Amino acid sequence: MKIAIGADHAGYRLKDVIVPFLQELGHEVEDLGCNCEQSVDYPDYAITVCDRVVQGAADRGILICGTGIGMSIAANKVPGIRCALVHDLFSAKATREHNDTNVLALGERVIGPGVAQEIIRIWLETPFSEGERHTGRVNKVKELEHRFSLQP
C-alpha cells in the first residue's frame, strides 16, 4: 500500500518514528513534511496529503499534529476524504470497518509512539465491512459532501 504522511511542527517527531515503521510493514511511504520545530500551518500539510489520496497517488494518508484535531478538521474539508482522529485501538478498527476512512489523524502530544504504531497497524489491516448499513451510511456522507461542496 502507498501511504502519504504529513505532520506539522508539533507532530514531526512522531512522523519520523512512523515512517520507518510503515516501511518495515512493507508499505511505500511518501513523506510530505514537515521536518522541523519551526512553526508551520497544519492545513498546508493536511491538504497536501489529502490531495495525494484523492488523486489516487496514495492509497491512504496519515496526518500528525499536536492533538490531531486541526489536521482532522482540515482533512475533512477535502471532497473524497474521510479522516478519523484516533487515539485508541478500538476506534482504529471501528473507523475502518464502519466508516471506510482513508486518512488517519493522530496527536503526538496525546499518544506515544508505541500506541501510534499499533493504531496504524490496526487501521491499515482492517478492511471496510461493506455491510449494507455501513455502506449506506458512508454513501450518505458522500451525498452530504457533494451537496455542500464548493466545486461544481
Side-chain angles (χ1 to χ4, degrees):
M1 192 178 305
K2 184 160 185 182
I3 312 294
I5 188 169
D8 70 0
H9 59 282
Y12 86 93
R13 286 175 295 276
L14 181 57
K15 176 184 64 70
D16 288 347
V17 171
I18 296 306
V19 168
F21 172 72
L22 290 167
Q23 291 168 332
E24 289 170 13
L25 292 177
H27 300 288
E28 182 181 346
V29 180
E30 183 177 15
D31 183 345
L32 298 168
C34 94
N35 298 302
C36 66
E37 292 180 358
Q38 292 179 325
S39 182
V40 298
D41 296 330
Y42 63 82
D44 297 337
Y45 295 91
I47 298 307
T48 301
V49 167
C50 291
D51 279 345
R52 302 297 289 160
V53 174
V54 169
Q55 294 168 5
D59 301 302
R60 304 247 188 105
I62 297 174
L63 298 168
I64 307 167
C65 64
T67 62
I69 297 168
M71 287 288 203
S72 65
I73 291 170
N76 280 311
K77 300 297 182 194
V78 178
I81 295 299
R82 287 175 311 283
C83 177
L85 171 58
V86 175
H87 291 137
D88 65 86
L89 306 182
F90 175 81
S91 297
K93 184 173 181 173
T95 194
R96 282 291 307 137
E97 286 182 340
H98 297 197
N99 310 118
D100 196 21
T101 52
N102 52 9
V103 175
L104 176 68
L106 302 169
E108 179 178 312
R109 295 175 180 163
V110 179
I111 58 172
V115 172
Q117 289 172 336
E118 190 61 14
I119 287 169
I120 290 168
R121 187 189 63 71
I122 290 168
W123 184 73
L124 290 172
E125 292 176 357
T126 302
F128 179 49
S129 74
E130 298 190 39
E132 187 175 327
R133 69 183 171 148
H134 299 303
T135 300
R137 291 170 183 160
V138 170
N139 286 337
K140 283 185 177 188
V141 170
K142 289 177 183 179
E143 289 171 18
L144 284 170
E145 178 181 84
H146 178 72
R147 177 177 169 194
F148 292 102
S149 176
L150 298 177
Q151 299 176 1

mmCIF file of all heavy atoms in Angstrom, residues 37-88:
data_model
loop_
_atom_site.group_PDB
_atom_site.id
_atom_site.type_symbol
_atom_site.label_atom_id
_atom_site.label_comp_id
_atom_site.label_asym_id
_atom_site.label_seq_id
_atom_site.Cartn_x
_atom_site.Cartn_y
_atom_site.Cartn_z
ATOM 1 N N GLU A 37 11.084 22.058 13.905
ATOM 2 C CA GLU A 37 10.326 22.592 15.033
ATOM 3 C C GLU A 37 9.752 23.970 14.755
ATOM 4 O O GLU A 37 8.946 24.471 15.534
ATOM 5 C CB GLU A 37 11.214 22.681 16.271
ATOM 6 C CG GLU A 37 11.610 21.342 16.829
ATOM 7 C CD GLU A 37 12.496 21.467 18.067
ATOM 8 O OE1 GLU A 37 12.833 22.604 18.476
ATOM 9 O OE2 GLU A 37 12.845 20.421 18.621
ATOM 10 N N GLN A 38 10.168 24.599 13.650
ATOM 11 C CA GLN A 38 9.669 25.936 13.337
ATOM 12 C C GLN A 38 8.174 25.871 13.048
ATOM 13 O O GLN A 38 7.710 24.974 12.341
ATOM 14 C CB GLN A 38 10.405 26.527 12.143
ATOM 15 C CG GLN A 38 11.854 26.838 12.431
ATOM 16 C CD GLN A 38 12.563 27.394 11.204
ATOM 17 O OE1 GLN A 38 12.278 27.002 10.086
ATOM 18 N NE2 GLN A 38 13.488 28.301 11.444
ATOM 19 N N SER A 39 7.449 26.820 13.584
ATOM 20 C CA SER A 39 6.007 26.837 13.444
ATOM 21 C C SER A 39 5.588 26.871 11.975
ATOM 22 O O SER A 39 6.071 27.684 11.192
ATOM 23 C CB SER A 39 5.436 28.060 14.168
ATOM 24 O OG SER A 39 4.033 28.058 14.084
ATOM 25 N N VAL A 40 4.691 25.950 11.623
ATOM 26 C CA VAL A 40 4.116 25.877 10.282
ATOM 27 C C VAL A 40 2.607 25.750 10.437
ATOM 28 O O VAL A 40 2.096 25.517 11.526
ATOM 29 C CB VAL A 40 4.676 24.678 9.465
ATOM 30 C CG1 VAL A 40 6.179 24.818 9.252
ATOM 31 C CG2 VAL A 40 4.356 23.350 10.145
ATOM 32 N N ASP A 41 1.894 25.885 9.345
ATOM 33 C CA ASP A 41 0.435 25.823 9.374
ATOM 34 C C ASP A 41 -0.042 24.422 9.006
ATOM 35 O O ASP A 41 0.166 23.964 7.881
ATOM 36 C CB ASP A 41 -0.156 26.850 8.412
ATOM 37 C CG ASP A 41 0.185 28.276 8.826
ATOM 38 O OD1 ASP A 41 0.344 28.521 10.039
ATOM 39 O OD2 ASP A 41 0.284 29.141 7.940
ATOM 40 N N TYR A 42 -0.701 23.753 9.940
ATOM 41 C CA TYR A 42 -1.149 22.374 9.721
ATOM 42 C C TYR A 42 -2.036 22.200 8.496
ATOM 43 O O TYR A 42 -1.948 21.166 7.831
ATOM 44 C CB TYR A 42 -1.819 21.793 10.978
ATOM 45 C CG TYR A 42 -3.075 22.499 11.403
ATOM 46 C CD1 TYR A 42 -4.293 22.214 10.803
ATOM 47 C CD2 TYR A 42 -3.047 23.460 12.402
ATOM 48 C CE1 TYR A 42 -5.448 22.874 11.183
ATOM 49 C CE2 TYR A 42 -4.198 24.127 12.780
ATOM 50 C CZ TYR A 42 -5.394 23.833 12.167
ATOM 51 O OH TYR A 42 -6.536 24.484 12.534
ATOM 52 N N PRO A 43 -2.896 23.168 8.126
ATOM 53 C CA PRO A 43 -3.728 22.931 6.937
ATOM 54 C C PRO A 43 -2.905 22.687 5.667
ATOM 55 O O PRO A 43 -3.327 21.927 4.792
ATOM 56 C CB PRO A 43 -4.570 24.206 6.804
ATOM 57 C CG PRO A 43 -4.626 24.758 8.190
ATOM 58 C CD PRO A 43 -3.271 24.436 8.775
ATOM 59 N N ASP A 44 -1.737 23.319 5.570
ATOM 60 C CA ASP A 44 -0.896 23.134 4.380
ATOM 61 C C ASP A 44 -0.487 21.671 4.217
ATOM 62 O O ASP A 44 -0.481 21.141 3.103
ATOM 63 C CB ASP A 44 0.354 24.010 4.463
ATOM 64 C CG ASP A 44 0.028 25.499 4.484
ATOM 65 O OD1 ASP A 44 -1.066 25.887 4.014
ATOM 66 O OD2 ASP A 44 0.864 26.272 4.997
ATOM 67 N N TYR A 45 -0.188 21.009 5.304
ATOM 68 C CA TYR A 45 0.242 19.604 5.253
ATOM 69 C C TYR A 45 -0.960 18.673 5.096
ATOM 70 O O TYR A 45 -0.882 17.672 4.389
ATOM 71 C CB TYR A 45 1.087 19.268 6.478
ATOM 72 C CG TYR A 45 2.364 20.075 6.438
ATOM 73 C CD1 TYR A 45 2.439 21.323 7.041
ATOM 74 C CD2 TYR A 45 3.466 19.616 5.733
ATOM 75 C CE1 TYR A 45 3.595 22.102 6.940
ATOM 76 C CE2 TYR A 45 4.612 20.374 5.635
ATOM 77 C CZ TYR A 45 4.677 21.617 6.239
ATOM 78 O OH TYR A 45 5.812 22.374 6.121
ATOM 79 N N ALA A 46 -2.063 19.020 5.737
ATOM 80 C CA ALA A 46 -3.278 18.204 5.591
ATOM 81 C C ALA A 46 -3.731 18.186 4.138
ATOM 82 O O ALA A 46 -4.031 17.117 3.581
ATOM 83 C CB ALA A 46 -4.387 18.744 6.489
ATOM 84 N N ILE A 47 -3.756 19.344 3.503
ATOM 85 C CA ILE A 47 -4.213 19.430 2.122
ATOM 86 C C ILE A 47 -3.260 18.693 1.187
ATOM 87 O O ILE A 47 -3.708 17.988 0.266
ATOM 88 C CB ILE A 47 -4.375 20.912 1.696
ATOM 89 C CG1 ILE A 47 -5.429 21.594 2.553
ATOM 90 C CG2 ILE A 47 -4.683 21.029 0.215
ATOM 91 C CD1 ILE A 47 -6.767 20.897 2.629
ATOM 92 N N THR A 48 -1.979 18.811 1.408
ATOM 93 C CA THR A 48 -1.006 18.126 0.553
ATOM 94 C C THR A 48 -1.194 16.616 0.609
ATOM 95 O O THR A 48 -1.226 15.938 -0.426
ATOM 96 C CB THR A 48 0.432 18.512 0.961
ATOM 97 O OG1 THR A 48 0.570 19.928 0.849
ATOM 98 C CG2 THR A 48 1.460 17.842 0.072
ATOM 99 N N VAL A 49 -1.341 16.065 1.803
ATOM 100 C CA VAL A 49 -1.555 14.621 1.958
ATOM 101 C C VAL A 49 -2.898 14.220 1.350
ATOM 102 O O VAL A 49 -2.985 13.235 0.599
ATOM 103 C CB VAL A 49 -1.470 14.208 3.444
ATOM 104 C CG1 VAL A 49 -1.992 12.785 3.648
ATOM 105 C CG2 VAL A 49 -0.032 14.331 3.948
ATOM 106 N N CYS A 50 -3.932 14.964 1.650
ATOM 107 C CA CYS A 50 -5.269 14.616 1.146
ATOM 108 C C CYS A 50 -5.339 14.688 -0.375
ATOM 109 O O CYS A 50 -6.013 13.865 -1.002
ATOM 110 C CB CYS A 50 -6.319 15.504 1.792
ATOM 111 S SG CYS A 50 -6.531 15.147 3.552
ATOM 112 N N ASP A 51 -4.666 15.645 -0.967
ATOM 113 C CA ASP A 51 -4.609 15.721 -2.432
ATOM 114 C C ASP A 51 -4.023 14.445 -3.016
ATOM 115 O O ASP A 51 -4.513 13.933 -4.020
ATOM 116 C CB ASP A 51 -3.779 16.920 -2.894
ATOM 117 C CG ASP A 51 -4.548 18.229 -2.872
ATOM 118 O OD1 ASP A 51 -5.794 18.208 -2.768
ATOM 119 O OD2 ASP A 51 -3.886 19.284 -2.966
ATOM 120 N N ARG A 52 -2.995 13.915 -2.386
ATOM 121 C CA ARG A 52 -2.360 12.675 -2.873
ATOM 122 C C ARG A 52 -3.350 11.517 -2.813
ATOM 123 O O ARG A 52 -3.408 10.691 -3.714
ATOM 124 C CB ARG A 52 -1.100 12.343 -2.073
ATOM 125 C CG ARG A 52 -0.032 13.420 -2.075
ATOM 126 C CD ARG A 52 0.528 13.717 -3.433
ATOM 127 N NE ARG A 52 1.356 12.612 -3.872
ATOM 128 C CZ ARG A 52 1.692 12.381 -5.133
ATOM 129 N NH1 ARG A 52 1.284 13.181 -6.086
ATOM 130 N NH2 ARG A 52 2.442 11.362 -5.445
ATOM 131 N N VAL A 53 -4.156 11.460 -1.756
ATOM 132 C CA VAL A 53 -5.138 10.387 -1.603
ATOM 133 C C VAL A 53 -6.255 10.544 -2.631
ATOM 134 O O VAL A 53 -6.616 9.585 -3.325
ATOM 135 C CB VAL A 53 -5.700 10.341 -0.162
ATOM 136 C CG1 VAL A 53 -6.832 9.328 -0.042
ATOM 137 C CG2 VAL A 53 -4.578 10.018 0.837
ATOM 138 N N VAL A 54 -6.798 11.741 -2.756
ATOM 139 C CA VAL A 54 -7.904 11.984 -3.682
ATOM 140 C C VAL A 54 -7.472 11.733 -5.133
ATOM 141 O O VAL A 54 -8.234 11.190 -5.930
ATOM 142 C CB VAL A 54 -8.457 13.418 -3.501
ATOM 143 C CG1 VAL A 54 -9.417 13.785 -4.620
ATOM 144 C CG2 VAL A 54 -9.152 13.546 -2.156
ATOM 145 N N GLN A 55 -6.255 12.103 -5.463
ATOM 146 C CA GLN A 55 -5.742 11.911 -6.827
ATOM 147 C C GLN A 55 -5.405 10.453 -7.124
ATOM 148 O O GLN A 55 -5.142 10.103 -8.265
ATOM 149 C CB GLN A 55 -4.490 12.766 -7.050
ATOM 150 C CG GLN A 55 -4.743 14.250 -7.022
ATOM 151 C CD GLN A 55 -3.453 15.056 -6.951
ATOM 152 O OE1 GLN A 55 -2.344 14.520 -7.012
ATOM 153 N NE2 GLN A 55 -3.589 16.356 -6.794
ATOM 154 N N GLY A 56 -5.361 9.611 -6.100
ATOM 155 C CA GLY A 56 -5.016 8.209 -6.285
ATOM 156 C C GLY A 56 -3.527 7.944 -6.279
ATOM 157 O O GLY A 56 -3.087 6.819 -6.517
ATOM 158 N N ALA A 57 -2.738 8.962 -5.960
ATOM 159 C CA ALA A 57 -1.285 8.791 -5.877
ATOM 160 C C ALA A 57 -0.893 8.088 -4.580
ATOM 161 O O ALA A 57 0.223 7.578 -4.456
ATOM 162 C CB ALA A 57 -0.584 10.142 -5.973
ATOM 163 N N ALA A 58 -1.796 8.070 -3.619
ATOM 164 C CA ALA A 58 -1.603 7.343 -2.358
ATOM 165 C C ALA A 58 -2.906 6.618 -2.043
ATOM 166 O O ALA A 58 -3.994 7.128 -2.331
ATOM 167 C CB ALA A 58 -1.234 8.288 -1.229
ATOM 168 N N ASP A 59 -2.772 5.429 -1.462
ATOM 169 C CA ASP A 59 -3.949 4.659 -1.070
ATOM 170 C C ASP A 59 -4.587 5.207 0.195
ATOM 171 O O ASP A 59 -5.810 5.192 0.340
ATOM 172 C CB ASP A 59 -3.569 3.189 -0.853
ATOM 173 C CG ASP A 59 -2.972 2.577 -2.096
ATOM 174 O OD1 ASP A 59 -3.661 2.593 -3.141
ATOM 175 O OD2 ASP A 59 -1.813 2.117 -2.034
ATOM 176 N N ARG A 60 -3.748 5.654 1.118
ATOM 177 C CA ARG A 60 -4.216 6.192 2.394
ATOM 178 C C ARG A 60 -3.283 7.316 2.826
ATOM 179 O O ARG A 60 -2.162 7.428 2.341
ATOM 180 C CB ARG A 60 -4.221 5.126 3.501
ATOM 181 C CG ARG A 60 -5.027 3.898 3.180
ATOM 182 C CD ARG A 60 -6.249 3.745 4.052
ATOM 183 N NE ARG A 60 -6.861 2.447 3.796
ATOM 184 C CZ ARG A 60 -6.781 1.415 4.612
ATOM 185 N NH1 ARG A 60 -6.158 1.503 5.753
ATOM 186 N NH2 ARG A 60 -7.382 0.278 4.282
ATOM 187 N N GLY A 61 -3.751 8.112 3.774
ATOM 188 C CA GLY A 61 -2.952 9.189 4.318
ATOM 189 C C GLY A 61 -2.931 9.153 5.828
ATOM 190 O O GLY A 61 -3.892 8.691 6.467
ATOM 191 N N ILE A 62 -1.827 9.637 6.391
ATOM 192 C CA ILE A 62 -1.693 9.770 7.843
ATOM 193 C C ILE A 62 -1.238 11.196 8.128
ATOM 194 O O ILE A 62 -0.293 11.685 7.501
ATOM 195 C CB ILE A 62 -0.690 8.752 8.424
ATOM 196 C CG1 ILE A 62 -1.188 7.321 8.187
ATOM 197 C CG2 ILE A 62 -0.450 9.011 9.912
ATOM 198 C CD1 ILE A 62 -0.201 6.237 8.590
ATOM 199 N N LEU A 63 -1.922 11.845 9.072
ATOM 200 C CA LEU A 63 -1.629 13.218 9.457
ATOM 201 C C LEU A 63 -1.348 13.276 10.953
ATOM 202 O O LEU A 63 -2.061 12.658 11.739
ATOM 203 C CB LEU A 63 -2.822 14.117 9.127
ATOM 204 C CG LEU A 63 -3.186 14.198 7.649
ATOM 205 C CD1 LEU A 63 -4.548 14.859 7.477
ATOM 206 C CD2 LEU A 63 -2.106 14.941 6.887
ATOM 207 N N ILE A 64 -0.336 14.053 11.329
ATOM 208 C CA ILE A 64 0.032 14.149 12.742
ATOM 209 C C ILE A 64 0.278 15.610 13.097
ATOM 210 O O ILE A 64 1.048 16.302 12.437
ATOM 211 C CB ILE A 64 1.301 13.325 13.048
ATOM 212 C CG1 ILE A 64 1.142 11.886 12.548
ATOM 213 C CG2 ILE A 64 1.601 13.357 14.551
ATOM 214 C CD1 ILE A 64 2.430 11.089 12.527
ATOM 215 N N CYS A 65 -0.375 16.055 14.154
ATOM 216 C CA CYS A 65 -0.086 17.361 14.746
ATOM 217 C C CYS A 65 -0.069 17.165 16.262
ATOM 218 O O CYS A 65 0.026 16.027 16.728
ATOM 219 C CB CYS A 65 -1.076 18.430 14.287
ATOM 220 S SG CYS A 65 -2.801 18.210 14.766
ATOM 221 N N GLY A 66 -0.139 18.222 17.017
ATOM 222 C CA GLY A 66 -0.067 18.082 18.469
ATOM 223 C C GLY A 66 -1.189 17.242 19.035
ATOM 224 O O GLY A 66 -0.967 16.336 19.835
ATOM 225 N N THR A 67 -2.424 17.526 18.617
ATOM 226 C CA THR A 67 -3.585 16.783 19.105
ATOM 227 C C THR A 67 -4.245 15.933 18.025
ATOM 228 O O THR A 67 -5.029 15.054 18.339
ATOM 229 C CB THR A 67 -4.669 17.736 19.641
ATOM 230 O OG1 THR A 67 -5.109 18.575 18.564
ATOM 231 C CG2 THR A 67 -4.145 18.580 20.797
ATOM 232 N N GLY A 68 -3.997 16.241 16.769
ATOM 233 C CA GLY A 68 -4.677 15.595 15.650
ATOM 234 C C GLY A 68 -5.966 16.297 15.274
ATOM 235 O O GLY A 68 -6.527 16.047 14.213
ATOM 236 N N ILE A 69 -6.428 17.203 16.115
ATOM 237 C CA ILE A 69 -7.704 17.872 15.886
ATOM 238 C C ILE A 69 -7.654 18.776 14.658
ATOM 239 O O ILE A 69 -8.495 18.681 13.764
ATOM 240 C CB ILE A 69 -8.153 18.662 17.138
ATOM 241 C CG1 ILE A 69 -8.398 17.709 18.313
ATOM 242 C CG2 ILE A 69 -9.400 19.497 16.835
ATOM 243 C CD1 ILE A 69 -8.564 18.413 19.656
ATOM 244 N N GLY A 70 -6.686 19.659 14.610
ATOM 245 C CA GLY A 70 -6.591 20.582 13.483
ATOM 246 C C GLY A 70 -6.432 19.857 12.166
ATOM 247 O O GLY A 70 -7.094 20.189 11.163
ATOM 248 N N MET A 71 -5.569 18.854 12.153
ATOM 249 C CA MET A 71 -5.351 18.079 10.929
ATOM 250 C C MET A 71 -6.648 17.411 10.480
ATOM 251 O O MET A 71 -6.976 17.410 9.290
ATOM 252 C CB MET A 71 -4.275 17.013 11.136
ATOM 253 C CG MET A 71 -2.866 17.554 11.219
ATOM 254 S SD MET A 71 -2.282 18.120 9.616
ATOM 255 C CE MET A 71 -0.515 18.014 9.895
ATOM 256 N N SER A 72 -7.392 16.830 11.421
ATOM 257 C CA SER A 72 -8.618 16.128 11.033
ATOM 258 C C SER A 72 -9.672 17.104 10.521
ATOM 259 O O SER A 72 -10.394 16.796 9.568
ATOM 260 C CB SER A 72 -9.163 15.284 12.186
ATOM 261 O OG SER A 72 -9.581 16.085 13.264
ATOM 262 N N ILE A 73 -9.762 18.277 11.115
ATOM 263 C CA ILE A 73 -10.720 19.277 10.639
ATOM 264 C C ILE A 73 -10.372 19.695 9.216
ATOM 265 O O ILE A 73 -11.240 19.721 8.337
ATOM 266 C CB ILE A 73 -10.758 20.496 11.581
ATOM 267 C CG1 ILE A 73 -11.384 20.119 12.921
ATOM 268 C CG2 ILE A 73 -11.504 21.668 10.932
ATOM 269 C CD1 ILE A 73 -11.244 21.180 14.001
ATOM 270 N N ALA A 74 -9.110 20.018 8.974
ATOM 271 C CA ALA A 74 -8.682 20.442 7.635
ATOM 272 C C ALA A 74 -8.892 19.323 6.620
ATOM 273 O O ALA A 74 -9.398 19.557 5.516
ATOM 274 C CB ALA A 74 -7.225 20.883 7.663
ATOM 275 N N ALA A 75 -8.525 18.117 6.978
ATOM 276 C CA ALA A 75 -8.634 16.988 6.052
ATOM 277 C C ALA A 75 -10.075 16.751 5.628
ATOM 278 O O ALA A 75 -10.350 16.477 4.457
ATOM 279 C CB ALA A 75 -8.062 15.725 6.690
ATOM 280 N N ASN A 76 -10.994 16.867 6.556
ATOM 281 C CA ASN A 76 -12.389 16.582 6.253
ATOM 282 C C ASN A 76 -13.069 17.677 5.428
ATOM 283 O O ASN A 76 -14.233 17.526 5.054
ATOM 284 C CB ASN A 76 -13.167 16.276 7.528
ATOM 285 C CG ASN A 76 -12.917 14.850 7.969
ATOM 286 O OD1 ASN A 76 -13.020 13.923 7.177
ATOM 287 N ND2 ASN A 76 -12.560 14.678 9.230
ATOM 288 N N LYS A 77 -12.355 18.724 5.117
ATOM 289 C CA LYS A 77 -12.864 19.742 4.195
ATOM 290 C C LYS A 77 -12.609 19.342 2.740
ATOM 291 O O LYS A 77 -13.177 19.938 1.827
ATOM 292 C CB LYS A 77 -12.194 21.103 4.447
ATOM 293 C CG LYS A 77 -12.419 21.656 5.839
ATOM 294 C CD LYS A 77 -13.874 21.930 6.097
ATOM 295 C CE LYS A 77 -14.058 22.539 7.483
ATOM 296 N NZ LYS A 77 -15.444 22.514 7.899
ATOM 297 N N VAL A 78 -11.777 18.345 2.518
ATOM 298 C CA VAL A 78 -11.408 17.924 1.165
ATOM 299 C C VAL A 78 -12.410 16.892 0.656
ATOM 300 O O VAL A 78 -12.558 15.822 1.260
ATOM 301 C CB VAL A 78 -9.977 17.332 1.144
ATOM 302 C CG1 VAL A 78 -9.605 16.842 -0.254
ATOM 303 C CG2 VAL A 78 -8.966 18.360 1.645
ATOM 304 N N PRO A 79 -13.108 17.187 -0.446
ATOM 305 C CA PRO A 79 -14.039 16.198 -1.006
ATOM 306 C C PRO A 79 -13.325 14.881 -1.321
ATOM 307 O O PRO A 79 -12.238 14.882 -1.899
ATOM 308 C CB PRO A 79 -14.541 16.871 -2.287
ATOM 309 C CG PRO A 79 -14.375 18.346 -2.030
ATOM 310 C CD PRO A 79 -13.111 18.439 -1.195
ATOM 311 N N GLY A 80 -13.937 13.792 -0.876
ATOM 312 C CA GLY A 80 -13.352 12.469 -1.096
ATOM 313 C C GLY A 80 -12.565 11.940 0.082
ATOM 314 O O GLY A 80 -12.170 10.779 0.103
ATOM 315 N N ILE A 81 -12.356 12.781 1.077
ATOM 316 C CA ILE A 81 -11.594 12.358 2.263
ATOM 317 C C ILE A 81 -12.555 12.067 3.403
ATOM 318 O O ILE A 81 -13.486 12.823 3.675
ATOM 319 C CB ILE A 81 -10.589 13.449 2.688
ATOM 320 C CG1 ILE A 81 -9.520 13.643 1.625
ATOM 321 C CG2 ILE A 81 -9.958 13.113 4.051
ATOM 322 C CD1 ILE A 81 -8.663 12.416 1.332
ATOM 323 N N ARG A 82 -12.306 10.937 4.067
ATOM 324 C CA ARG A 82 -12.973 10.590 5.304
ATOM 325 C C ARG A 82 -11.855 10.355 6.318
ATOM 326 O O ARG A 82 -11.223 9.300 6.333
ATOM 327 C CB ARG A 82 -13.868 9.362 5.134
ATOM 328 C CG ARG A 82 -15.126 9.647 4.338
ATOM 329 C CD ARG A 82 -15.950 8.412 4.074
ATOM 330 N NE ARG A 82 -15.171 7.292 3.536
ATOM 331 C CZ ARG A 82 -14.756 7.209 2.270
ATOM 332 N NH1 ARG A 82 -15.017 8.164 1.407
ATOM 333 N NH2 ARG A 82 -14.069 6.164 1.856
ATOM 334 N N CYS A 83 -11.602 11.371 7.111
ATOM 335 C CA CYS A 83 -10.495 11.341 8.077
ATOM 336 C C CYS A 83 -11.040 11.124 9.479
ATOM 337 O O CYS A 83 -12.014 11.752 9.883
ATOM 338 C CB CYS A 83 -9.727 12.663 8.016
ATOM 339 S SG CYS A 83 -8.382 12.789 9.215
ATOM 340 N N ALA A 84 -10.382 10.240 10.214
ATOM 341 C CA ALA A 84 -10.755 9.996 11.608
ATOM 342 C C ALA A 84 -9.590 10.350 12.525
ATOM 343 O O ALA A 84 -8.443 10.000 12.254
ATOM 344 C CB ALA A 84 -11.124 8.532 11.811
ATOM 345 N N LEU A 85 -9.904 11.041 13.584
ATOM 346 C CA LEU A 85 -8.954 11.318 14.652
ATOM 347 C C LEU A 85 -9.031 10.142 15.614
ATOM 348 O O LEU A 85 -10.098 9.871 16.180
ATOM 349 C CB LEU A 85 -9.324 12.617 15.358
ATOM 350 C CG LEU A 85 -8.558 12.948 16.631
ATOM 351 C CD1 LEU A 85 -7.058 13.022 16.380
ATOM 352 C CD2 LEU A 85 -9.094 14.249 17.227
ATOM 353 N N VAL A 86 -7.928 9.432 15.786
ATOM 354 C CA VAL A 86 -7.934 8.194 16.568
ATOM 355 C C VAL A 86 -6.803 8.205 17.595
ATOM 356 O O VAL A 86 -5.655 8.492 17.252
ATOM 357 C CB VAL A 86 -7.796 6.961 15.647
ATOM 358 C CG1 VAL A 86 -7.689 5.682 16.455
ATOM 359 C CG2 VAL A 86 -8.960 6.881 14.673
ATOM 360 N N HIS A 87 -7.157 7.854 18.831
ATOM 361 C CA HIS A 87 -6.162 7.735 19.889
ATOM 362 C C HIS A 87 -6.303 6.440 20.680
ATOM 363 O O HIS A 87 -5.724 6.293 21.746
ATOM 364 C CB HIS A 87 -6.237 8.946 20.826
ATOM 365 C CG HIS A 87 -5.788 10.204 20.175
ATOM 366 N ND1 HIS A 87 -6.446 11.400 20.313
ATOM 367 C CD2 HIS A 87 -4.755 10.453 19.345
ATOM 368 C CE1 HIS A 87 -5.823 12.321 19.611
ATOM 369 N NE2 HIS A 87 -4.805 11.768 19.013
ATOM 370 N N ASP A 88 -7.100 5.493 20.151
ATOM 371 C CA ASP A 88 -7.250 4.210 20.836
ATOM 372 C C ASP A 88 -7.452 3.104 19.802
ATOM 373 O O ASP A 88 -7.823 3.366 18.655
ATOM 374 C CB ASP A 88 -8.418 4.243 21.828
ATOM 375 C CG ASP A 88 -9.750 4.425 21.145
ATOM 376 O OD1 ASP A 88 -10.336 3.399 20.718
ATOM 377 O OD2 ASP A 88 -10.212 5.576 20.994
#
